[in-house]
Amino acid sequence: MHNRAIGFKNLLLILFCMIISIGSFINGQECDDSTRNIANSSVYIENRNAILSSLASKVIISGGFYTASIGQDPNKVYALALCRGDSSSADCAGCVNSASKDIISKCPNHKEAIAWGADAPNPPCIVRYADRYFVGKLELSPIDAGSNLENITWNLTQFNQTWKSLMDVLVKKASMGSSRLKFATGEAKVTYSEQIYALMQCTPDISQSDCEICLRQSMAAYESCCHGKQGGLYERPNCIFRWEIFRFFGATNEALLRTPSPESSVPPESTNKKITKDSGRIASRSIAIIVFSAVFFMIMVAFTYGILKRRKRKQDNRIAKTIETAEPYQFNFSAVKVATNNFSNENKLGQGGFGAVYKGKLPNGRDIAVKRLSRDSGQGELEFKNEVLVLTMLQHRNLVRLLGFCLKGNERLLIYEFVPNSSLDNFIFDPIKHLQLDWEMRYKIIVGIARGILYLHDDSRLRIIHRDLKASNILLDLEMNPKLSDFGMARLFDMDQTQGNTSRIVGTFGYMAPEYVKRGHFSIKSDVFSFGVLVLEIISGQKNSCFCKAEQEAEEDLLTYTWRNWKEGTAAKIIDPSLRVDSNDEVMRCIQIGLLCVQENIANRPTMASVVLMLTRSMSLLVPSQPAYFMHPAPAVSDQSKSDSDKCSVNWASITQLNPR
């Protein structure tokens, strides 16, 4: 019996894959349980049921992949069905029909849901619907995943090489498929008697690059949690990845690849003429839009403004609701006061821009860290509520764990797990402690930070931009595992939102991306820039904001110094002299990754998913371009006019108001 934990077996997912996704899994279904996605319109439900009931017949005619829509806003429903490339026509129709019925049954009044049908032993399928247009858009969550319970007993070195080689081939093959099918299967011998088998597929509506991103992120997530098991599965809305030690797939079904009929080749928006109710009104509405185009434009502007205002109000309400409903996590102020010895200086661990952090001990003997927000901070309450909201939704080994909070009068406290080794800056910038960090440990810290950021960007319940990544916000546990902390500046995004802007610049100079400093634009690439600075600091043991080398003739920051030496072929100069490594290849590779992350052009910076792949796998790297804030050589200043202390000054500013952190 091949033990598989798929879909509804959340417990096994947590134990073996540590995967967190949105909503609630029910036998391979995912119903979006957010308030916005609870349908209160019978018209919407009728439209949803009508379009789902038609998918099984339509998907066969269209060649195994079908998209359509029905109804008019606000009750319009979009739907998609995808059969696996080795499905027979009968299996394809049966799976879609079964999944459609299940999704109606298990998600009766939801505006959005997805089902990964699995009528074993027949090949599975994907069925999804929503009240928004999602065709052609890459979406990486929700996730359905599982792994075999048994471990690989073969030669692991040989197995890893064979596994990675096969997966790379299939990713390329699947992503380079046609607009009708992006599907690939393959097998490879590990030893004379053992083989591995794998399958990859993307929905054909996404681009080649998006398909590759989807599959590689699934591979990376699988490797990080379950590599070494005898098989695994990872399913996202736009891609499927599975491998086993036995053949589980058949030949590609050529019948599903026949040219679609004219009916099925009509774009989703146009098929409304066949399945949309009251379609006769479309012509008159079009005429009205043309006649009153100016009025319509003004109405849309006003409507958009209203939507943005309502979204902001909903987020504020969500923050308030999180605080109000988090009663089990609320600590008694007197108990926290006793635990920290009345917030004594002896228990003080550090001072941040919004308050001090104290060590405490609960009556049960558990050590805690307590952040006490400044009572006179005008920004404190917002950051406090934001941090509670963010951290109550996050669970990852590379994120500091929030245990609770406390509200009493003007007092606002955040109670965290105690991380014994303080923060990263206390090690890499300390003349004595930095000697404790050999290269193996520094590399582990770099990879751990990358995985924590990747979780925030792609794998958590919401897309989160940290906005204040720096060495002092990376805590180290007893085994020197890094944990991201201080989420007071974090911004929450919808999963399909890629960037935002603000007139209030917050963060720490030297770590902030140029587009954020200059224009207030921030995105996941802003965090990538900060990560790149961190990588170079960890390798060099030098602060970007206070960087000095004896051979410097003129002032340079760390990025400029690294880039200059990289171009001159002397990048080894930036490596901390205390590091003794057998080979500089891995260190040089990390320097190159750091430079790729701090490139001035935001489009050239990699995503954190790509960064994790580059750090954990042997793959070729792109050549970096000039970093942001590059300082062109300036005439040297004489020692008489510039003292040594002047050559290395620290910029302590962390936000535009120049409050210290």
PDB file of all heavy atoms in Angstrom, residues 152 154 158-159 162-163 166-167 186-198 229-231 243-249:
ATOM      1  N   ILE A 152      13.873   7.045   1.248  1.00  0.00           N
ATOM      2  CA  ILE A 152      14.715   6.425   0.233  1.00  0.00           C
ATOM      3  C   ILE A 152      15.843   5.651   0.915  1.00  0.00           C
ATOM      4  O   ILE A 152      16.505   6.169   1.823  1.00  0.00           O
ATOM      5  CB  ILE A 152      15.299   7.496  -0.711  1.00  0.00           C
ATOM      6  CG1 ILE A 152      14.199   8.097  -1.598  1.00  0.00           C
ATOM      7  CG2 ILE A 152      16.410   6.920  -1.573  1.00  0.00           C
ATOM      8  CD1 ILE A 152      13.649   7.144  -2.624  1.00  0.00           C
ATOM      9  N   TRP A 154      18.247   4.009  -1.046  1.00  0.00           N
ATOM     10  CA  TRP A 154      19.302   3.837  -2.041  1.00  0.00           C
ATOM     11  C   TRP A 154      20.482   4.758  -1.705  1.00  0.00           C
ATOM     12  O   TRP A 154      20.466   5.486  -0.711  1.00  0.00           O
ATOM     13  CB  TRP A 154      18.777   4.160  -3.443  1.00  0.00           C
ATOM     14  CG  TRP A 154      17.469   3.514  -3.767  1.00  0.00           C
ATOM     15  CD1 TRP A 154      16.978   2.346  -3.260  1.00  0.00           C
ATOM     16  CD2 TRP A 154      16.457   4.022  -4.652  1.00  0.00           C
ATOM     17  NE1 TRP A 154      15.741   2.085  -3.775  1.00  0.00           N
ATOM     18  CE2 TRP A 154      15.391   3.078  -4.637  1.00  0.00           C
ATOM     19  CE3 TRP A 154      16.352   5.142  -5.463  1.00  0.00           C
ATOM     20  CZ2 TRP A 154      14.235   3.255  -5.404  1.00  0.00           C
ATOM     21  CZ3 TRP A 154      15.214   5.317  -6.232  1.00  0.00           C
ATOM     22  CH2 TRP A 154      14.170   4.378  -6.206  1.00  0.00           C
ATOM     23  N   GLN A 158      23.768   9.405  -5.422  1.00  0.00           N
ATOM     24  CA  GLN A 158      23.378   9.037  -6.784  1.00  0.00           C
ATOM     25  C   GLN A 158      21.912   9.365  -7.027  1.00  0.00           C
ATOM     26  O   GLN A 158      21.525   9.832  -8.102  1.00  0.00           O
ATOM     27  CB  GLN A 158      23.635   7.542  -7.002  1.00  0.00           C
ATOM     28  CG  GLN A 158      23.515   7.106  -8.456  1.00  0.00           C
ATOM     29  CD  GLN A 158      23.994   5.677  -8.658  1.00  0.00           C
ATOM     30  OE1 GLN A 158      24.534   5.073  -7.741  1.00  0.00           O
ATOM     31  NE2 GLN A 158      23.813   5.148  -9.852  1.00  0.00           N
ATOM     32  N   PHE A 159      21.074   9.117  -6.010  1.00  0.00           N
ATOM     33  CA  PHE A 159      19.651   9.422  -6.140  1.00  0.00           C
ATOM     34  C   PHE A 159      19.428  10.918  -6.358  1.00  0.00           C
ATOM     35  O   PHE A 159      18.655  11.324  -7.241  1.00  0.00           O
ATOM     36  CB  PHE A 159      18.901   8.972  -4.882  1.00  0.00           C
ATOM     37  CG  PHE A 159      17.514   9.539  -4.755  1.00  0.00           C
ATOM     38  CD1 PHE A 159      16.474   9.044  -5.514  1.00  0.00           C
ATOM     39  CD2 PHE A 159      17.258  10.596  -3.896  1.00  0.00           C
ATOM     40  CE1 PHE A 159      15.195   9.586  -5.410  1.00  0.00           C
ATOM     41  CE2 PHE A 159      15.990  11.145  -3.786  1.00  0.00           C
ATOM     42  CZ  PHE A 159      14.961  10.635  -4.546  1.00  0.00           C
ATOM     43  N   THR A 162      20.389  12.035  -9.903  1.00  0.00           N
ATOM     44  CA  THR A 162      19.420  11.553 -10.897  1.00  0.00           C
ATOM     45  C   THR A 162      18.105  12.306 -10.777  1.00  0.00           C
ATOM     46  O   THR A 162      17.506  12.695 -11.784  1.00  0.00           O
ATOM     47  CB  THR A 162      19.185  10.042 -10.702  1.00  0.00           C
ATOM     48  OG1 THR A 162      20.435   9.352 -10.744  1.00  0.00           O
ATOM     49  CG2 THR A 162      18.282   9.496 -11.798  1.00  0.00           C
ATOM     50  N   TRP A 163      17.655  12.515  -9.540  1.00  0.00           N
ATOM     51  CA  TRP A 163      16.372  13.194  -9.298  1.00  0.00           C
ATOM     52  C   TRP A 163      16.393  14.616  -9.860  1.00  0.00           C
ATOM     53  O   TRP A 163      15.489  15.029 -10.586  1.00  0.00           O
ATOM     54  CB  TRP A 163      16.095  13.204  -7.799  1.00  0.00           C
ATOM     55  CG  TRP A 163      14.718  13.643  -7.413  1.00  0.00           C
ATOM     56  CD1 TRP A 163      13.618  12.852  -7.226  1.00  0.00           C
ATOM     57  CD2 TRP A 163      14.280  14.976  -7.125  1.00  0.00           C
ATOM     58  NE1 TRP A 163      12.535  13.602  -6.860  1.00  0.00           N
ATOM     59  CE2 TRP A 163      12.907  14.917  -6.789  1.00  0.00           C
ATOM     60  CE3 TRP A 163      14.902  16.214  -7.122  1.00  0.00           C
ATOM     61  CZ2 TRP A 163      12.165  16.041  -6.452  1.00  0.00           C
ATOM     62  CZ3 TRP A 163      14.166  17.348  -6.795  1.00  0.00           C
ATOM     63  CH2 TRP A 163      12.823  17.250  -6.463  1.00  0.00           C
ATOM     64  N   LEU A 166      16.469  14.684 -13.757  1.00  0.00           N
ATOM     65  CA  LEU A 166      15.170  14.364 -14.361  1.00  0.00           C
ATOM     66  C   LEU A 166      14.196  15.517 -14.203  1.00  0.00           C
ATOM     67  O   LEU A 166      13.486  15.890 -15.149  1.00  0.00           O
ATOM     68  CB  LEU A 166      14.599  13.087 -13.722  1.00  0.00           C
ATOM     69  CG  LEU A 166      13.195  12.680 -14.196  1.00  0.00           C
ATOM     70  CD1 LEU A 166      13.175  12.404 -15.694  1.00  0.00           C
ATOM     71  CD2 LEU A 166      12.705  11.455 -13.410  1.00  0.00           C
ATOM     72  N   MET A 167      14.163  16.118 -13.008  1.00  0.00           N
ATOM     73  CA  MET A 167      13.217  17.209 -12.769  1.00  0.00           C
ATOM     74  C   MET A 167      13.529  18.426 -13.651  1.00  0.00           C
ATOM     75  O   MET A 167      12.619  19.074 -14.170  1.00  0.00           O
ATOM     76  CB  MET A 167      13.236  17.617 -11.291  1.00  0.00           C
ATOM     77  CG  MET A 167      12.834  16.505 -10.341  1.00  0.00           C
ATOM     78  SD  MET A 167      11.292  15.686 -10.789  1.00  0.00           S
ATOM     79  CE  MET A 167      11.482  14.111  -9.964  1.00  0.00           C
ATOM     80  N   GLY A 186       8.422  11.475 -17.434  1.00  0.00           N
ATOM     81  CA  GLY A 186       9.731  10.903 -17.697  1.00  0.00           C
ATOM     82  C   GLY A 186      10.140   9.940 -16.610  1.00  0.00           C
ATOM     83  O   GLY A 186       9.512   9.862 -15.546  1.00  0.00           O
ATOM     84  N   GLU A 187      11.195   9.199 -16.878  1.00  0.00           N
ATOM     85  CA  GLU A 187      11.731   8.244 -15.919  1.00  0.00           C
ATOM     86  C   GLU A 187      13.242   8.211 -16.041  1.00  0.00           C
ATOM     87  O   GLU A 187      13.803   8.601 -17.074  1.00  0.00           O
ATOM     88  CB  GLU A 187      11.138   6.854 -16.168  1.00  0.00           C
ATOM     89  CG  GLU A 187      11.403   6.318 -17.563  1.00  0.00           C
ATOM     90  CD  GLU A 187      10.622   5.039 -17.823  1.00  0.00           C
ATOM     91  OE1 GLU A 187       9.429   5.130 -18.150  1.00  0.00           O
ATOM     92  OE2 GLU A 187      11.253   3.968 -17.692  1.00  0.00           O
ATOM     93  N   ALA A 188      13.899   7.782 -14.982  1.00  0.00           N
ATOM     94  CA  ALA A 188      15.357   7.715 -14.992  1.00  0.00           C
ATOM     95  C   ALA A 188      15.821   6.613 -14.047  1.00  0.00           C
ATOM     96  O   ALA A 188      15.214   6.393 -12.992  1.00  0.00           O
ATOM     97  CB  ALA A 188      15.957   9.056 -14.562  1.00  0.00           C
ATOM     98  N   LYS A 189      16.890   5.930 -14.445  1.00  0.00           N
ATOM     99  CA  LYS A 189      17.460   4.860 -13.619  1.00  0.00           C
ATOM    100  C   LYS A 189      18.375   5.459 -12.554  1.00  0.00           C
ATOM    101  O   LYS A 189      19.234   6.286 -12.864  1.00  0.00           O
ATOM    102  CB  LYS A 189      18.246   3.884 -14.484  1.00  0.00           C
ATOM    103  CG  LYS A 189      17.401   2.854 -15.216  1.00  0.00           C
ATOM    104  CD  LYS A 189      18.297   1.854 -15.918  1.00  0.00           C
ATOM    105  CE  LYS A 189      17.472   0.738 -16.552  1.00  0.00           C
ATOM    106  NZ  LYS A 189      16.817  -0.099 -15.516  1.00  0.00           N
ATOM    107  N   VAL A 190      18.188   5.044 -11.335  1.00  0.00           N
ATOM    108  CA  VAL A 190      19.082   5.437 -10.250  1.00  0.00           C
ATOM    109  C   VAL A 190      20.171   4.376 -10.096  1.00  0.00           C
ATOM    110  O   VAL A 190      21.358   4.679  -9.999  1.00  0.00           O
ATOM    111  CB  VAL A 190      18.309   5.612  -8.930  1.00  0.00           C
ATOM    112  CG1 VAL A 190      19.261   5.998  -7.804  1.00  0.00           C
ATOM    113  CG2 VAL A 190      17.225   6.663  -9.088  1.00  0.00           C
ATOM    114  N   THR A 191      19.755   3.123 -10.056  1.00  0.00           N
ATOM    115  CA  THR A 191      20.680   1.984 -10.059  1.00  0.00           C
ATOM    116  C   THR A 191      20.193   1.011 -11.122  1.00  0.00           C
ATOM    117  O   THR A 191      19.240   1.287 -11.847  1.00  0.00           O
ATOM    118  CB  THR A 191      20.711   1.291  -8.684  1.00  0.00           C
ATOM    119  OG1 THR A 191      19.430   0.693  -8.438  1.00  0.00           O
ATOM    120  CG2 THR A 191      21.020   2.278  -7.575  1.00  0.00           C
ATOM    121  N   TYR A 192      20.849  -0.130 -11.207  1.00  0.00           N
ATOM    122  CA  TYR A 192      20.453  -1.122 -12.208  1.00  0.00           C
ATOM    123  C   TYR A 192      19.007  -1.560 -12.019  1.00  0.00           C
ATOM    124  O   TYR A 192      18.287  -1.820 -12.988  1.00  0.00           O
ATOM    125  CB  TYR A 192      21.379  -2.342 -12.118  1.00  0.00           C
ATOM    126  CG  TYR A 192      21.032  -3.436 -13.112  1.00  0.00           C
ATOM    127  CD1 TYR A 192      21.425  -3.325 -14.439  1.00  0.00           C
ATOM    128  CD2 TYR A 192      20.305  -4.560 -12.715  1.00  0.00           C
ATOM    129  CE1 TYR A 192      21.104  -4.316 -15.370  1.00  0.00           C
ATOM    130  CE2 TYR A 192      19.981  -5.549 -13.630  1.00  0.00           C
ATOM    131  CZ  TYR A 192      20.381  -5.429 -14.957  1.00  0.00           C
ATOM    132  OH  TYR A 192      20.056  -6.386 -15.865  1.00  0.00           O
ATOM    133  N   SER A 193      18.548  -1.626 -10.771  1.00  0.00           N
ATOM    134  CA  SER A 193      17.214  -2.160 -10.496  1.00  0.00           C
ATOM    135  C   SER A 193      16.199  -1.116 -10.028  1.00  0.00           C
ATOM    136  O   SER A 193      15.024  -1.415  -9.918  1.00  0.00           O
ATOM    137  CB  SER A 193      17.312  -3.263  -9.431  1.00  0.00           C
ATOM    138  OG  SER A 193      17.901  -2.762  -8.246  1.00  0.00           O
ATOM    139  N   GLU A 194      16.648   0.115  -9.718  1.00  0.00           N
ATOM    140  CA  GLU A 194      15.716   1.127  -9.221  1.00  0.00           C
ATOM    141  C   GLU A 194      15.563   2.268 -10.216  1.00  0.00           C
ATOM    142  O   GLU A 194      16.559   2.745 -10.783  1.00  0.00           O
ATOM    143  CB  GLU A 194      16.167   1.699  -7.873  1.00  0.00           C
ATOM    144  CG  GLU A 194      15.976   0.752  -6.697  1.00  0.00           C
ATOM    145  CD  GLU A 194      17.244  -0.009  -6.367  1.00  0.00           C
ATOM    146  OE1 GLU A 194      18.300   0.333  -6.944  1.00  0.00           O
ATOM    147  OE2 GLU A 194      17.176  -0.945  -5.556  1.00  0.00           O
ATOM    148  N   GLN A 195      14.320   2.714 -10.377  1.00  0.00           N
ATOM    149  CA  GLN A 195      14.021   3.828 -11.259  1.00  0.00           C
ATOM    150  C   GLN A 195      13.114   4.822 -10.532  1.00  0.00           C
ATOM    151  O   GLN A 195      12.434   4.467  -9.563  1.00  0.00           O
ATOM    152  CB  GLN A 195      13.320   3.363 -12.538  1.00  0.00           C
ATOM    153  CG  GLN A 195      14.208   2.592 -13.469  1.00  0.00           C
ATOM    154  CD  GLN A 195      13.604   2.479 -14.868  1.00  0.00           C
ATOM    155  OE1 GLN A 195      14.320   2.316 -15.843  1.00  0.00           O
ATOM    156  NE2 GLN A 195      12.302   2.574 -14.972  1.00  0.00           N
ATOM    157  N   ILE A 196      13.121   6.055 -11.010  1.00  0.00           N
ATOM    158  CA  ILE A 196      12.174   7.056 -10.517  1.00  0.00           C
ATOM    159  C   ILE A 196      11.352   7.557 -11.691  1.00  0.00           C
ATOM    160  O   ILE A 196      11.820   7.582 -12.836  1.00  0.00           O
ATOM    161  CB  ILE A 196      12.889   8.234  -9.817  1.00  0.00           C
ATOM    162  CG1 ILE A 196      13.901   8.903 -10.755  1.00  0.00           C
ATOM    163  CG2 ILE A 196      13.542   7.784  -8.534  1.00  0.00           C
ATOM    164  CD1 ILE A 196      14.549  10.143 -10.155  1.00  0.00           C
ATOM    165  N   TYR A 197      10.102   7.978 -11.394  1.00  0.00           N
ATOM    166  CA  TYR A 197       9.168   8.421 -12.414  1.00  0.00           C
ATOM    167  C   TYR A 197       8.597   9.765 -11.963  1.00  0.00           C
ATOM    168  O   TYR A 197       8.353   9.987 -10.775  1.00  0.00           O
ATOM    169  CB  TYR A 197       8.030   7.415 -12.581  1.00  0.00           C
ATOM    170  CG  TYR A 197       8.505   6.016 -12.923  1.00  0.00           C
ATOM    171  CD1 TYR A 197       8.950   5.162 -11.911  1.00  0.00           C
ATOM    172  CD2 TYR A 197       8.518   5.553 -14.224  1.00  0.00           C
ATOM    173  CE1 TYR A 197       9.383   3.876 -12.203  1.00  0.00           C
ATOM    174  CE2 TYR A 197       8.949   4.278 -14.532  1.00  0.00           C
ATOM    175  CZ  TYR A 197       9.387   3.440 -13.518  1.00  0.00           C
ATOM    176  OH  TYR A 197       9.819   2.179 -13.816  1.00  0.00           O
ATOM    177  N   ALA A 198       8.381  10.656 -12.910  1.00  0.00           N
ATOM    178  CA  ALA A 198       7.874  11.986 -12.552  1.00  0.00           C
ATOM    179  C   ALA A 198       6.940  12.511 -13.632  1.00  0.00           C
ATOM    180  O   ALA A 198       7.014  12.120 -14.806  1.00  0.00           O
ATOM    181  CB  ALA A 198       9.027  12.967 -12.339  1.00  0.00           C
ATOM    182  N   LYS A 229      12.068  11.259   0.776  1.00  0.00           N
ATOM    183  CA  LYS A 229      10.932  10.349   0.837  1.00  0.00           C
ATOM    184  C   LYS A 229      10.795   9.611  -0.493  1.00  0.00           C
ATOM    185  O   LYS A 229      11.344  10.018  -1.514  1.00  0.00           O
ATOM    186  CB  LYS A 229       9.644  11.109   1.151  1.00  0.00           C
ATOM    187  CG  LYS A 229       9.662  11.851   2.479  1.00  0.00           C
ATOM    188  CD  LYS A 229       9.727  10.898   3.659  1.00  0.00           C
ATOM    189  CE  LYS A 229       9.684  11.652   4.990  1.00  0.00           C
ATOM    190  NZ  LYS A 229       9.780  10.735   6.141  1.00  0.00           N
ATOM    191  N   GLN A 230      10.000   8.544  -0.505  1.00  0.00           N
ATOM    192  CA  GLN A 230       9.843   7.724  -1.705  1.00  0.00           C
ATOM    193  C   GLN A 230       8.715   8.232  -2.604  1.00  0.00           C
ATOM    194  O   GLN A 230       7.921   7.455  -3.122  1.00  0.00           O
ATOM    195  CB  GLN A 230       9.588   6.268  -1.317  1.00  0.00           C
ATOM    196  CG  GLN A 230      10.768   5.578  -0.693  1.00  0.00           C
ATOM    197  CD  GLN A 230      10.494   4.110  -0.435  1.00  0.00           C
ATOM    198  OE1 GLN A 230       9.493   3.557  -0.864  1.00  0.00           O
ATOM    199  NE2 GLN A 230      11.399   3.456   0.277  1.00  0.00           N
ATOM    200  N   GLY A 231       8.621   9.521  -2.786  1.00  0.00           N
ATOM    201  CA  GLY A 231       7.593  10.062  -3.664  1.00  0.00           C
ATOM    202  C   GLY A 231       6.939  11.278  -3.049  1.00  0.00           C
ATOM    203  O   GLY A 231       7.010  11.508  -1.834  1.00  0.00           O
ATOM    204  N   TRP A 243       6.123  12.829  -8.277  1.00  0.00           N
ATOM    205  CA  TRP A 243       7.121  11.822  -8.631  1.00  0.00           C
ATOM    206  C   TRP A 243       6.958  10.615  -7.710  1.00  0.00           C
ATOM    207  O   TRP A 243       6.465  10.723  -6.589  1.00  0.00           O
ATOM    208  CB  TRP A 243       8.537  12.384  -8.536  1.00  0.00           C
ATOM    209  CG  TRP A 243       9.124  12.370  -7.151  1.00  0.00           C
ATOM    210  CD1 TRP A 243       8.966  13.317  -6.183  1.00  0.00           C
ATOM    211  CD2 TRP A 243       9.934  11.339  -6.581  1.00  0.00           C
ATOM    212  NE1 TRP A 243       9.635  12.949  -5.039  1.00  0.00           N
ATOM    213  CE2 TRP A 243      10.241  11.740  -5.270  1.00  0.00           C
ATOM    214  CE3 TRP A 243      10.435  10.138  -7.055  1.00  0.00           C
ATOM    215  CZ2 TRP A 243      11.020  10.960  -4.416  1.00  0.00           C
ATOM    216  CZ3 TRP A 243      11.215   9.351  -6.205  1.00  0.00           C
ATOM    217  CH2 TRP A 243      11.508   9.783  -4.899  1.00  0.00           C
ATOM    218  N   GLU A 244       7.354   9.450  -8.212  1.00  0.00           N
ATOM    219  CA  GLU A 244       7.224   8.204  -7.458  1.00  0.00           C
ATOM    220  C   GLU A 244       8.379   7.271  -7.814  1.00  0.00           C
ATOM    221  O   GLU A 244       9.174   7.552  -8.731  1.00  0.00           O
ATOM    222  CB  GLU A 244       5.898   7.493  -7.799  1.00  0.00           C
ATOM    223  CG  GLU A 244       4.641   8.314  -7.564  1.00  0.00           C
ATOM    224  CD  GLU A 244       4.313   8.511  -6.101  1.00  0.00           C
ATOM    225  OE1 GLU A 244       5.001   7.929  -5.238  1.00  0.00           O
ATOM    226  OE2 GLU A 244       3.357   9.253  -5.817  1.00  0.00           O
ATOM    227  N   ILE A 245       8.455   6.144  -7.107  1.00  0.00           N
ATOM    228  CA  ILE A 245       9.441   5.109  -7.443  1.00  0.00           C
ATOM    229  C   ILE A 245       8.765   4.010  -8.257  1.00  0.00           C
ATOM    230  O   ILE A 245       9.346   2.937  -8.454  1.00  0.00           O
ATOM    231  CB  ILE A 245      10.109   4.532  -6.178  1.00  0.00           C
ATOM    232  CG1 ILE A 245       9.071   3.907  -5.242  1.00  0.00           C
ATOM    233  CG2 ILE A 245      10.902   5.598  -5.459  1.00  0.00           C
ATOM    234  CD1 ILE A 245       9.681   3.162  -4.064  1.00  0.00           C
ATOM    235  N   PHE A 246       7.547   4.244  -8.709  1.00  0.00           N
ATOM    236  CA  PHE A 246       6.828   3.309  -9.576  1.00  0.00           C
ATOM    237  C   PHE A 246       6.130   4.121 -10.667  1.00  0.00           C
ATOM    238  O   PHE A 246       5.876   5.316 -10.513  1.00  0.00           O
ATOM    239  CB  PHE A 246       5.809   2.501  -8.777  1.00  0.00           C
ATOM    240  CG  PHE A 246       4.757   3.337  -8.105  1.00  0.00           C
ATOM    241  CD1 PHE A 246       3.574   3.680  -8.758  1.00  0.00           C
ATOM    242  CD2 PHE A 246       4.954   3.806  -6.818  1.00  0.00           C
ATOM    243  CE1 PHE A 246       2.616   4.468  -8.141  1.00  0.00           C
ATOM    244  CE2 PHE A 246       3.996   4.596  -6.194  1.00  0.00           C
ATOM    245  CZ  PHE A 246       2.828   4.926  -6.859  1.00  0.00           C
ATOM    246  N   ARG A 247       5.811   3.459 -11.763  1.00  0.00           N
ATOM    247  CA  ARG A 247       5.133   4.144 -12.865  1.00  0.00           C
ATOM    248  C   ARG A 247       3.668   4.384 -12.479  1.00  0.00           C
ATOM    249  O   ARG A 247       2.927   3.438 -12.211  1.00  0.00           O
ATOM    250  CB  ARG A 247       5.197   3.315 -14.142  1.00  0.00           C
ATOM    251  CG  ARG A 247       4.514   3.995 -15.337  1.00  0.00           C
ATOM    252  CD  ARG A 247       4.559   3.104 -16.568  1.00  0.00           C
ATOM    253  NE  ARG A 247       5.905   2.994 -17.091  1.00  0.00           N
ATOM    254  CZ  ARG A 247       6.446   3.876 -17.928  1.00  0.00           C
ATOM    255  NH1 ARG A 247       5.734   4.923 -18.342  1.00  0.00           N
ATOM    256  NH2 ARG A 247       7.682   3.714 -18.360  1.00  0.00           N
ATOM    257  N   PHE A 248       3.283   5.647 -12.444  1.00  0.00           N
ATOM    258  CA  PHE A 248       1.916   6.006 -12.053  1.00  0.00           C
ATOM    259  C   PHE A 248       1.170   6.730 -13.178  1.00  0.00           C
ATOM    260  O   PHE A 248       0.018   7.106 -13.018  1.00  0.00           O
ATOM    261  CB  PHE A 248       1.939   6.913 -10.806  1.00  0.00           C
ATOM    262  CG  PHE A 248       2.656   8.215 -11.014  1.00  0.00           C
ATOM    263  CD1 PHE A 248       1.973   9.355 -11.405  1.00  0.00           C
ATOM    264  CD2 PHE A 248       4.028   8.306 -10.838  1.00  0.00           C
ATOM    265  CE1 PHE A 248       2.639  10.556 -11.602  1.00  0.00           C
ATOM    266  CE2 PHE A 248       4.697   9.499 -11.036  1.00  0.00           C
ATOM    267  CZ  PHE A 248       4.008  10.628 -11.419  1.00  0.00           C
ATOM    268  N   PHE A 249       1.812   6.935 -14.309  1.00  0.00           N
ATOM    269  CA  PHE A 249       1.183   7.647 -15.411  1.00  0.00           C
ATOM    270  C   PHE A 249       1.161   6.771 -16.651  1.00  0.00           C
ATOM    271  O   PHE A 249       1.890   5.780 -16.758  1.00  0.00           O
ATOM    272  CB  PHE A 249       1.935   8.952 -15.728  1.00  0.00           C
ATOM    273  CG  PHE A 249       3.421   8.778 -15.901  1.00  0.00           C
ATOM    274  CD1 PHE A 249       3.960   8.272 -17.080  1.00  0.00           C
ATOM    275  CD2 PHE A 249       4.288   9.098 -14.870  1.00  0.00           C
ATOM    276  CE1 PHE A 249       5.329   8.100 -17.232  1.00  0.00           C
ATOM    277  CE2 PHE A 249       5.653   8.926 -15.018  1.00  0.00           C
ATOM    278  CZ  PHE A 249       6.181   8.429 -16.191  1.00  0.00           C
TER     279      PHE A 249
END
